[in-house]
Amino acid sequence: MTGEMTVSEKVFRAHLENGPFQSGVARKSWRFISINWPHAIIAVSAATLKEVATEFYLRFELTDYPQTVPTAQSWDNEKNMLLEPNNRPCGGRAAMAFRTDWEGGQALYLPCDRRAITTHPDWRDKHPSMIWSPAGDITQYLRIVYDLLNSQDYSGIQGS
Amino acid sequence: MKHIEIFLQGEGIKDIVLLKVPQDGIVQDIVNVAKADGHIYGDEASYIVYLEDAENILDTKATLSAAGISHRTHVHISRCLKVKVTVNFNGGSKTIDFPPPTTIRHVKKWATSKSVFDLTETDAGTHVLQICGSNTRPAEDIHIGALVTCPDCLICFDLAPVIRVEG
C-alpha cells in the first residue's frame, strides 16, 4: 500500500483551491480545517447573534468524491467526536438539519447528504435544488448549510 | 512580475473563477487574461468590467488599484450594459433593469421591498429566487450577469417559498 493520493482526493483538493470554495473563504462563509482522507473537516460560519460569532464544524466522508454524494457529521473538533446535542444549532430548519434524534445524529438531515437522501428518496422530487450533482463541488453542500445557519430560523446554540 | 487573484463572474462563466492578474496591471488585463484562460470568447473590446454590486463601468485603461481592485476583489465581466430582470410572485410580475454585477441578494432585497411585493421580513426570509422554468436557485452571491447571455441580457425569477426539509 503506497501513500499515493486517490483521484477523488486530488479532485477534492483541487476544488478547495478553486473560485467557488475560495470565494466562500474570502467572504468568511467557511474555512478549511483538515484532511485525513476520505475525511475532511470544514468550518461553516453562522449568523452573529448577541455579538457572538459562531462556526460549526462539518466532518465530511468523501469516498468516491464527487461521483458519490458526500455525507457529513456535525463535529466537535477539539474532542474529535460528534458534536453533543447541547452544542448544536437550534431554531427551525437549522435545528432540523443538525437533529440528533435521527440516525443518532451521525449525518446532517439534508437532501444533499448521502445518508439522508438514501433513506428519503422522495426528497429528490421535493427538494430538487438541494440534490447533490457530481458535476459540482463541495460548495453545493456548504452553501446549503451556510444558508441555514444564516437564516432567520437560526437562533443560536441549543445549550446556550 | 507580482500577481494578485481576483474572483471573476460574468457572462458565459459557469462558476466563480479565480483569475491571476498582474498586480500593477490595468482593468483591460482582466479581460485579456479571462480570454487567454478560455473564460470568454470573441472580441475583447466588447467586454465591460464592473465591481460587484456596483453600477459604474470601470475604465479599462485605469490601473487596478485606481479602479478599486485588490487581492481577492469580486469583479464582473460582461457584454451587457443592463440586465432586464423579471420577478414573479403570487400572480404578479415586476420588471426592472439592473447592472450585470448585481448579486442575487440585491435583487431579492428589491423584489421583497415595500415598493415591489411588500413581503414582511419573516416572509422574505422564507422565499428565494428561482430561475423561471427550472429548479435552479442561485446562491445570494451570484451575479445576475453570470446567468444571462448577450444580446438578450434578460432573466426571469419566481420568488419561491423555501420548503422545509422533513418527513
Side-chain angles (χ1 to χ4, degrees), chain A residues 17-20 22-23 25-27 92-93 96 109-111 120 123 126-130 135 143 152-153, chain B residues 7 9 14-18 52 72 74 121-122 125 135 137 139-143 162-167:
Chain A
E17 299 302 319
N18 286 352
Q22 288 300 319
S23 175
V25 172
R27 294 185 197 274
R93 291 179 295 130
M96 182 65 95
Y109 193 67
L110 290 171
H120 298 83
W123 283 357
K126 286 184 181 171
H127 305 285
S129 65
M130 298 171 82
R143 283 181 182 281
Q152 291 173 358
D153 280 18
Chain B
F7 292 108
Q9 295 187 52
K14 185 172 163 280
D15 282 319
I16 301 170
V17 167
L18 258 181
E52 181 174 87
R72 301 219 155 188
H74 292 263
E121 195 178 333
T122 302
N135 296 318
R137 298 179 167 194
E140 291 204 330
D141 61 346
I142 296 299
H143 302 167
V162 173
I163 301 169
R164 195 178 169 88
V165 175
E166 56 191 356

Side-chain angles (χ1 to χ4, degrees), chain A residues 20-87:
Chain A
F21 186 86
Q22 288 300 319
S23 175
V25 172
R27 294 185 197 274
K28 301 190 187 308
S29 301
W30 51 68
R31 64 190 178 99
F32 168 72
I33 304 295
S34 63
I35 296 182
N36 182 12
W37 198 258
H39 296 97
I41 299 176
I42 296 171
V44 181
S45 303
T48 299
L49 300 176
K50 297 175 186 171
E51 299 182 1
V52 177
T54 308
E55 58 183 9
F56 291 93
Y57 293 91
L58 299 182
R59 180 176 182 258
F60 286 95
E61 198 282 312
L62 297 158
T63 300
D64 197 28
Y65 173 92
Q67 295 304 319
T68 298
V69 188
T71 182
Q73 298 170 308
S74 179
W75 199 246
D76 185 327
N77 204 41
E78 284 185 13
K79 295 178 181 172
N80 203 31
M81 58 183 276
L82 278 181
L83 191 64
E84 292 174 358
N86 278 353
N87 291 326

Side-chain angles (χ1 to χ4, degrees), chain B residues 46-112:
Chain B
S46 60
Y47 282 90
I48 304 160
V49 183
Y50 303 82
L51 292 175
E52 181 174 87
D53 268 334
E55 289 192 14
N56 296 336
I57 294 169
L58 298 179
D59 177 359
T60 52
K61 292 176 184 164
T63 62
L64 295 178
S65 60
I69 297 171
S70 55
H71 186 56
R72 301 219 155 188
T73 296
H74 292 263
V75 174
H76 188 90
I77 184 169
S78 178
R79 292 175 297 174
C80 298
L81 276 171
K82 295 285 181 187
V83 174
K84 187 177 284 297
V85 177
T86 299
V87 180
N88 304 316
F89 177 67
N90 210 17
S93 184
K94 302 278 185 180
T95 297
I96 190 173
D97 285 346
F98 276 120
T102 306
T103 56
I104 291 288
R105 180 182 299 108
H106 189 93
V107 175
K108 182 185 161 185
K109 193 174 177 184
W110 166 80
T112 57

Side-chain angles (χ1 to χ4, degrees), chain B residues 4-67:
Chain B
I4 59 170
E5 291 177 330
I6 60 165
F7 292 108
L8 184 71
Q9 295 187 52
E11 181 199 345
I13 302 175
K14 185 172 163 280
D15 282 319
I16 301 170
V17 167
L18 258 181
L19 206 67
K20 279 188 181 175
V21 292
Q23 186 176 30
D24 299 329
I26 61 173
V27 172
Q28 182 63 38
D29 290 332
I30 294 172
V31 181
N32 297 344
V33 174
K35 182 164 186 184
D37 287 359
H39 300 302
I40 60 170
Y41 301 93
D43 179 15
E44 294 102 311
S46 60
Y47 282 90
I48 304 160
V49 183
Y50 303 82
L51 292 175
E52 181 174 87
D53 268 334
E55 289 192 14
N56 296 336
I57 294 169
L58 298 179
D59 177 359
T60 52
K61 292 176 184 164
T63 62
L64 295 178
S65 60

